[in-house]
Amino acid sequence: MAAPTSKKWFAVYTRPRWEKKVHKLLEEKGIESYCPLNKVHRKWSDRIKIVDEPLFKSYVFVKVNEDEKTQVRMTDGVVNFIYWLGKPANIKEKEIETIKRFLNDHHDVEVRPVDIEAGKKVMVQSGILMGKEGTVKKVLHKKVEVVIESIGFILSAYIDKSKILLLDK
């Protein structure tokens, strides 16, 4: 378990359209928070205006230690932490810095989820096939069939989507 003093970035899920409010409420509590804002051109009948919109709908990032997680959950507008593999998703400092730099340099940024589709190269991240690279053969509801070429054989395994890493975009 992490020491209570070590702070890490996490993503929290907010009520719809509450990203800026949650960010403000967290800051008022003394909790380090980041709500990435995208500068977007909006057109009205008489003018075009640049407005700040949250980059990730219903997401705010917080840098907290274990002791502060309850305070975050109790903040008005926070639904819960975003979970990945059964634990609150830890976001790397480097990824937060990349988002900040990208938004500083670009406007009208578009966010799309990573698509896992047939023909993509992937690496298995856990389980008996951990570290093995393969090619996606089929994408099912929550599973991916990956062909793993190894020692002259082609193995076909159904692997949970959360346990693979996309290698080529």
Side-chain angles (χ1 to χ4, degrees), residues 40-44 47-51:
V40 180
H41 291 83
R42 287 285 172 245
K43 186 177 179 178
W44 281 268
R47 67 191 186 285
I48 294 177
K49 187 177 177 184
I50 297 175
V51 295

Side-chain angles (χ1 to χ4, degrees), residues 78-151:
V78 170
V79 175
N80 203 354
F81 282 87
I82 303 297
Y83 281 77
W84 180 255
L85 301 176
K87 292 187 275 191
N90 180 233
I91 315 298
K92 294 181 179 107
E93 182 85 36
K94 183 172 77 174
E95 292 170 327
I96 297 291
E97 291 306 318
T98 299
I99 293 167
K100 287 179 179 179
R101 263 194 321 277
F102 197 83
L103 288 175
N104 197 36
D105 295 344
H106 304 283
H107 301 292
D108 295 302
V109 174
E110 181 184 334
V111 175
R112 288 177 312 192
V114 175
D115 289 326
I116 298 173
E117 54 194 38
K120 298 266 184 164
K121 288 273 189 205
V122 294
M123 180 188 291
V124 180
Q125 292 190 291
S126 67
I128 196 163
L129 300 172
M130 186 168 116
K132 298 287 184 202
E133 291 184 18
T135 306
V136 175
K137 186 175 175 188
K138 255 196 262 184
V139 180
L140 305 164
H141 179 62
K142 287 197 172 201
K143 300 220 179 254
V144 178
E145 184 177 339
V146 179
V147 175
I148 298 172
E149 298 162 23
S150 162
I151 59 170

